[in-house]
Amino acid sequence: MHRLLLLGCLWLLAAPPASSIFQRPTGSPAPPRLQYLLEPLHPTVHTQRGATATLPCVLRALPRNYRVKWSKVEPANYRESIIIITNGLYHKNYGPLSPRVRLRHSHRYDASLTITDVALEDEGRYRCQLINGLEDESVSLVLHLEGVVFPYQPSNGRYKFNYHEAKRACEQQDSRLATYQQLYKAWTEGLDWCNAGWILDGTVHYPIINSREPCGGRLLLPGVRTYGARDKQKDRFDAFCFTSALQGQVYFIRGHLNFKEAGQACRNHGAAIAKVGQLYSAWKFSQLDRCDGGWLADGSVRYPITTPRERCGGLPDPGVRSFGFPSKEMRTYGTYCFVG
């Protein structure tokens, strides 16, 4: 019985839906071609990780034999991945987004896409395409996550990652490789970093606010400097990672702990030692502000400052300060823990 129902639904996806609500009176001239899809009022939808977001796609009329296809443009390979196809009566989901997407369908002209529990990798460009024979049309929308970009390098120094290692390193720190748009926005907000790093599309850049000799020279204008596309296997740089809001809390445990003791102290509280992306997120979205250096999961020691002051590093701008990667046997620091 279940197989028959599934076959029936799939047949209906390919079959013509109900007739258009618009009918032309006999003998009247043909009306001009309709623009079936409404242009969205706001082509960019802003959201945060863990939230529910809806990308609008509304028809002004229902053509014969139509389908609506939602897809996402993947910046790493410039391909479109199908998410969902509907004929207004039935729909079919595709790909890794499948468990978290549905059609809003608040009325029969509504083909808007709702994404639940938004993840970092959901950011990007989406396309709602009306498929209607020769009259295909589409609208493009951008899902924008509010977040923070941070440069990242491993304990063994700068320029150690190929592209795939950089991608994996960001993911291990509760983040992902930043897009160019995210890096550019971070530069406009003050990110100034001399080391070049990979971003999601396989290109390499570094953002400069204050032109200086070690960073391309004083004569070059400020901006996001680029090395262009590089060999993803052979070339080695740092990484620019992006993270968004947390579904949890980062807090500090004071003490003189080595790295192993720091991890145990967090576990004793039912938490885990925080990752770098989690500390940046807590600094950005929860205004976490502490003068105390604390261990993180990658073996680095950092502390978040939202209100700069002389006794907390002396730097004039807010940020996450770093003591680098000290010996894991040192008993000098506390630890930052994360509980979800």
Side-chain angles (χ1 to χ4, degrees):
M1 176 63 74
H2 292 299
R3 180 176 294 179
L4 288 174
L5 286 172
L6 177 60
L7 289 172
C9 290
L10 292 175
W11 177 84
L12 281 167
L13 268 178
S19 298
S20 168
I21 61 170
F22 292 93
Q23 295 185 357
R24 180 161 48 93
T26 305
S28 63
R33 177 178 175 270
L34 290 174
Q35 177 78 26
Y36 289 109
L37 292 177
L38 291 173
E39 282 291 333
L41 286 176
H42 304 288
T44 299
V45 175
H46 296 266
T47 188
Q48 292 181 353
R49 178 168 53 174
T52 295
T54 297
L55 299 167
C57 185
V58 178
L59 286 73
R60 68 170 80 240
L62 302 179
R64 286 179 176 272
N65 305 332
Y66 82 95
R67 288 178 296 157
V68 171
K69 179 177 74 174
W70 275 99
S71 57
K72 183 175 187 288
V73 180
E74 302 296 347
N77 53 25
Y78 301 104
R79 295 180 180 175
E80 287 196 18
S81 300
I82 298 175
I83 299 171
I84 195 167
I85 297 177
T86 181
N87 67 353
L89 297 175
Y90 301 95
H91 68 271
K92 183 174 176 60
N93 292 18
Y94 298 86
L97 265 175
S98 180
R100 296 189 290 113
V101 296
R102 57 180 172 81
L103 294 169
R104 183 173 63 180
H105 209 63
S106 57
H107 52 79
R108 62 179 181 154
Y109 302 104
D110 184 14
S112 302
L113 183 73
T114 295
I115 305 174
T116 61
D117 193 19
V118 170
L120 293 176
E121 59 269 21
D122 296 342
E123 166 140 335
R125 185 170 298 279
Y126 291 75
R127 190 159 75 110
C128 176
Q129 182 181 14
L130 174 72
I131 302 171
N132 182 36
L134 299 176
E135 299 180 288
D136 295 358
E137 56 191 62
S138 65
V139 294
S140 181
L141 300 111
V142 172
L143 184 66
H144 172 76
L145 269 69
E146 302 295 339
V148 57
V149 171
F150 60 94
Y152 188 75
Q153 58 183 224
S155 59
N156 56 343
R158 69 196 288 261
Y159 293 176
K160 300 297 182 181
F161 293 135
N162 67 24
Y163 172 82
H164 306 288
E165 291 164 345
K167 185 173 183 289
R168 186 162 55 250
C170 288
E171 291 167 354
Q172 289 170 348
Q173 296 308 314
D174 192 50
S175 58
R176 71 184 301 230
L177 277 176
T179 65
Y180 182 81
Q181 290 78 10
Q182 290 164 345
L183 181 62
Y184 185 87
K185 183 173 184 291
W187 169 72
T188 66
E189 294 171 349
L191 181 60
D192 183 282
W193 196 255
C194 211
N195 293 347
W198 293 102
I199 63 172
L200 187 59
D201 64 3
T203 57
V204 174
H205 309 266
Y206 63 102
I208 294 297
I209 298 289
N210 302 305
S211 299
R212 50 202 185 273
E213 287 303 328
C215 306
R218 297 180 183 276
L219 298 180
L220 284 179
L221 293 174
V224 179
R225 313 268 175 79
T226 180
Y227 288 179
R230 311 299 291 193
D231 189 308
K232 292 183 177 181
Q233 293 288 352
K234 297 179 181 178
D235 289 328
R236 294 188 173 271
F237 297 95
D238 291 346
F240 286 105
C241 305
F242 171 83
T243 192
S244 185
L246 288 172
Q247 292 183 289
Q249 179 188 9
V250 173
Y251 62 92
F252 182 74
I253 294 180
R254 190 183 299 275
H256 297 282
L257 310 169
N258 63 29
F259 178 72
K260 184 176 180 180
E261 292 166 344
Q264 187 59 54
C266 291
R267 290 191 292 273
N268 290 344
H269 286 76
I273 189 168
K275 299 177 180 180
V276 177
Q278 292 167 340
L279 184 65
Y280 269 92
S281 179
W283 165 75
K284 175 76 172 179
F285 293 100
S286 302
Q287 289 74 54
L288 184 63
D289 183 292
R290 288 205 68 103
C291 241
D292 307 280
W295 291 103
L296 296 177
D298 65 342
S300 65
V301 172
R302 306 174 195 249
Y303 62 102
I305 296 296
T306 57
T307 304
R309 46 210 186 269
E310 191 63 35
R311 295 179 58 189
C312 299
L315 294 175
D317 300 315
V320 175
R321 321 282 197 236
S322 175
F323 286 117
F325 294 84
S327 167
K328 291 184 176 180
E329 301 305 315
M330 286 185 64
R331 284 190 168 92
T332 307
Y333 307 104
T335 184
Y336 288 96
C337 304
F338 171 74
V339 60

